[in-house]
Amino acid sequence: MKTIIKNGHIFTESEDYQADILIRDGKITCIGQKLSEEGAKIIDAEGCYVLPGAVDVHTHMDLDVGISRAVDDFYDGTVAAACGGTTAIVDHMAFGPAGVPLHHQFEVYKKLAEGKAVVDYGFHGTAQYVDEGILNELEEMASDGIPSVKAYLTYGFKLNDADVLRILEKMKEIGGVTAFHCENHDVVEYLRKKYKDEGRTAPLYHAKSRPNLAEAEAVERVLKLARMAGDAPVYIVHLSCKESLEAVRDARRHGQKNIFAETCPQYLILTEECYRREDGLKYVMSPPLRTRQDCEALWEGLADGSIQVVATDHCPFNYGKEKQMGIDDFTACPNGAPGVEERLMLLFSEGVAKGRITMNRLVGALCTEPSRIYGLYPEKGLIRPGADADLVIMDPKGSSRLTHERMHSAVDYTAYEGMRILGEIRHVLLRGSEIVRDNRFLGEKGSGRFIRRNTLY
Ligand code: URP
Ligand code: ZN
Ligand code: ZN
C-alpha cells in the first residue's frame, strides 16, 4: 500500500520544512518536493502540520489496583490514544500477587493487550521486590524486548534503598532504564493518618498529605542512589513540582549523567484548586496537583530541556462509580485520572499556541525523546526514511472545546471539561494506515503490535 502526504509542514525535534512524504508498506520511504507515485493514495496536508505519531511511555491500561480496576482496557484506551495522536504506548504493568516473578505480569499483560490494542505497544516491568531471581530476570526481560522497569518508593510494594541500588546497578549493566515513582512513603503515610484522625477527609487533604518536599526528597534520594550506581540510567515519572525539578537540575550540575525527567499535562495545566471543587475526587492522583507556581516552573523546565518527556499517567476511574469510594475519605479513593487522548491537543494549545514551548520542543517531548530513552527509536517518534509511517496531521488554526462527549475513553469524564483548544487533529496514521480522521476512529481492533524495545546503550 502506498500513500503520499502532500504539501504538509513537517516538524521534527530540530527542524521544520515544507515537503511531501511517500509511504510504502508502512514505512516512510522518501521525503521530498512534488513527490508522485502511481496508485498512491493522496492525503492533502495543505495548511497543516505533520509530526511523528506521539509516544506515551506512561499509561495504565486495565490496571488492577486491588480495590478496583482502571476502566480503559487495551481497546478503549488505545482508541482514545489514537484519536489524540498517540500511535505507541509503553504501559506500566500492575503489581501481581506477592512474590511473583517479573515474567508473571508480562504473561498477564500479553493477554490483556493482544487482539485489543489499536496502536503499537510495549510494557515496563514492575519491580515489587528484589532478589537474585528478579535481578536475573531483568536481563531476560530486556532480551524479551522490555529493557525498562519501574520501582515505587511508596504504595504497598515500595522498595527500600538497598533494593533500589541493586536494581540500578543491574540495569546499568544491561543498559536498561529504571523508572521511579518518587514520594517519601513514611511522610505520606504519617500525614494521611494524621488528616484522617483529625477528620480532614476531603479531597484537598489528598494534596496536603503529599507535599512537594515529600516528592522532592524521594527524587533527590533516587538520583543519589543512581549516582552511587555509577550514573545508572534513572527516569523520574510524573515529576510535579519545582523542588523536584531543582533536584534534577542540581544532580546534572554536579555532572551526573543518564538522568531523565517526565511530567504530565495535568501538572502543567491544573492546580490544587481543583480539589476545592465539588467534583474534587476526579483529581485524586499521586503526586497530587500543585500550585500555579509549580506549573510555570515545569513549563520552563520543559522549554529549557530540563524535562525530557511529557507522558500522561493515564489511569482512569469513573467519577460516578470508583471515585465515589473516596466520598467520605480521600484515602479510600482510587488514585489516577484519564489523559491519554488530551495530551497532544493540550500541549499544542497551552504550550505552543501560548508561546511557552516551540513546536520542535513539543515533538521532542511527546515523540522523539520518549522513543529514544525507552528504545523505540529509530522506528517510532521521528520522521525519516526507514521509520514507521506513524504520523499526525494537525490543523494549527482549527479549534474546539474539550468535552467528555468528544472523547473515546470508557471513563465518564475529562479533567479538562469545557477548555477551549487551539489546533485540531485531522488524520492519524499508524504504519501507513489511516486510523483516525477528524476525531473518528477508522482502525481495527487488535491491529496494534507488540514493540520489542532496545536497550539505551
Ligand atoms: O495516581 C496515580 N498516578 N495513579 C497511577 C499509578 C501511579 O502512581 O503512577
Ligand atoms: Zn506513579
Ligand atoms: Zn503511573
Side-chain angles (χ1 to χ4, degrees):
M1 208 185 99
K2 294 174 285 188
T3 304
I4 301 179
I5 299 172
K6 284 221 132 307
N7 307 315
H9 193 121
I10 297 172
F11 280 89
T12 72
E13 64 175 343
S14 55
E15 297 180 288
D16 71 283
Y17 51 91
Q18 199 85 23
D20 299 346
I21 300 176
L22 172 63
I23 299 163
R24 258 199 228 114
D25 300 327
K27 295 275 184 192
I28 296 173
T29 51
C30 183
I31 302 172
Q33 305 302 321
K34 296 193 174 32
L35 298 182
S36 63
E37 175 88 3
E38 179 128 8
K41 167 181 164 183
I42 304 291
I43 298 179
D44 185 8
E46 178 80 49
C48 287
Y49 291 174
V50 182
L51 47 147
V55 177
D56 190 347
V57 291
H58 189 161
T59 61
H60 297 278
M61 303 304 176
D62 224 338
L63 184 80
D64 181 357
V65 290
I67 53 169
S68 53
R69 197 168 186 114
V71 298
D72 275 338
D73 65 6
F74 275 82
Y75 178 67
D76 291 323
T78 56
V79 168
C83 291
T86 291
T87 50
I89 63 166
V90 185
D91 198 80
H92 284 287
M93 298 191 283
F95 295 125
V100 294
L102 287 175
H103 280 85
H104 179 276
Q105 289 307 89
F106 184 24
E107 293 306 318
V108 169
Y109 269 70
K110 275 191 217 167
K111 291 197 189 89
L112 291 179
E114 266 170 21
K116 284 193 179 164
V118 304
V119 302
D120 291 349
Y121 59 93
F123 308 117
H124 301 284
T126 302
Q128 46 191 78
Y129 67 100
V130 181
D131 64 9
E132 278 309 309
I134 294 287
L135 294 173
N136 290 334
E137 262 195 297
L138 288 173
E139 213 160 328
E140 293 162 16
M141 291 280 277
S143 312
D144 294 338
I146 304 185
S148 56
V149 67
K150 183 174 186 186
Y152 291 80
L153 302 188
T154 187
Y155 299 151
F157 287 109
K158 79 176 183 69
L159 296 187
N160 65 37
D161 294 350
D163 286 342
V164 166
L165 190 55
R166 290 171 83 192
I167 291 217
L168 283 164
E169 285 173 348
K170 187 67 184 183
M171 291 300 272
K172 186 194 170 190
E173 195 185 306
I174 297 168
V177 177
T178 314
F180 287 94
H181 174 125
C182 295
E183 289 184 289
N184 182 309
H185 181 74
D186 290 348
V187 168
V188 168
E189 285 305 299
Y190 161 68
L191 290 173
R192 275 159 71 89
K193 178 166 184 326
K194 177 169 124 100
Y195 286 125
K196 206 174 155 180
D197 290 350
E198 291 171 357
R200 297 199 246 191
T201 53
L204 181 63
Y205 292 96
H206 169 71
K208 301 246 176 263
S209 66
R210 309 182 96 97
N212 289 23
L213 291 180
E215 177 185 317
E217 184 282 325
V219 170
E220 269 176 49
R221 183 161 26 109
V222 114
L223 292 175
K224 291 213 162 69
L225 290 165
R227 192 164 150 203
M228 287 180 225
D231 288 358
V234 56
Y235 181 99
I236 311 295
V237 300
H238 50 43
L239 186 147
S240 73
C241 64
K242 54 188 186 316
E243 292 86 351
S244 296
L245 179 59
E246 272 320 300
V248 167
R249 287 187 175 131
D250 276 351
R252 290 199 184 116
R253 266 195 291 272
H254 279 100
Q256 187 172 338
K257 305 271 185 301
N258 298 324
I259 299 173
F260 308 106
E262 164 202 290
T263 192
C264 309
Q266 55 270 33
Y267 302 118
L268 291 161
I269 294 166
L270 304 174
T271 71
E272 66 178 12
E273 289 309 305
C274 292
Y275 297 117
R276 296 183 196 276
R277 291 168 35 165
E278 202 189 343
D279 60 354
L281 287 170
K282 287 179 181 170
Y283 304 92
V284 171
M285 63 184 85
S286 297
L289 300 174
R290 308 294 191 185
T291 65
R292 185 56 59 205
Q293 257 190 327
D294 290 294
C295 299
E296 291 311 323
L298 296 181
W299 278 116
E300 276 170 33
L302 182 60
D304 71 17
S306 303
I307 294 172
Q308 282 65 55
V309 174
V310 178
T312 66
D313 197 10
H314 179 76
C315 188
F317 297 99
N318 284 319
Y319 175 62
K321 193 170 173 217
E322 294 85 3
K323 287 284 187 189
Q324 295 303 318
M325 293 164 85
I327 193 75
D328 297 319
D329 173 5
F330 73 86
T331 67
C333 181
N335 280 212
V340 76
E341 187 165 357
E342 295 93 328
R343 178 179 62 146
L344 172 56
M345 292 181 264
L346 289 170
L347 265 283
F348 181 77
S349 192
E350 290 294 301
V352 178
K354 292 195 172 166
R356 287 167 159 147
I357 55 168
T358 63
M359 194 61 199
N360 299 116
R361 195 64 205 103
L362 178 146
V363 171
L366 270 60
C367 315
T368 318
E369 297 257 34
S371 166
R372 207 183 272 124
I373 295 166
Y374 280 119
L376 295 84
Y377 199 85
E379 278 80 29
K380 306 286 186 194
L382 74 168
I383 298 182
R384 186 200 283 171
D388 284 357
D390 295 354
L391 296 162
V392 174
I393 301 169
M394 63 169 292
D395 175 1
K397 297 208 172 72
S399 70
S400 62
R401 224 169 253 292
L402 265 186
T403 58
H404 171 248
E405 210 192 331
R406 278 179 60 98
M407 298 282 137
H408 297 79
S409 159
V411 77
D412 63 357
Y413 73 99
T414 167
Y416 306 91
E417 185 68 36
M419 191 179 225
R420 183 132 197 89
I421 290 291
L422 193 64
E424 269 193 309
I425 295 171
R426 296 273 176 244
H427 310 265
V428 179
L429 278 70
L430 172 69
R431 286 179 270 103
S433 299
E434 188 181 8
I435 58 168
V436 175
R437 190 184 310 155
D438 293 326
N439 206 34
R440 249 179 332 118
F441 177 67
L442 308 173
E444 237 175 74
K445 191 169 184 174
S447 55
R449 291 185 190 156
F450 175 69
I451 308 167
R452 293 182 63 87
R453 295 180 292 119
N454 307 310
T455 51
L456 190 61
Y457 48 80

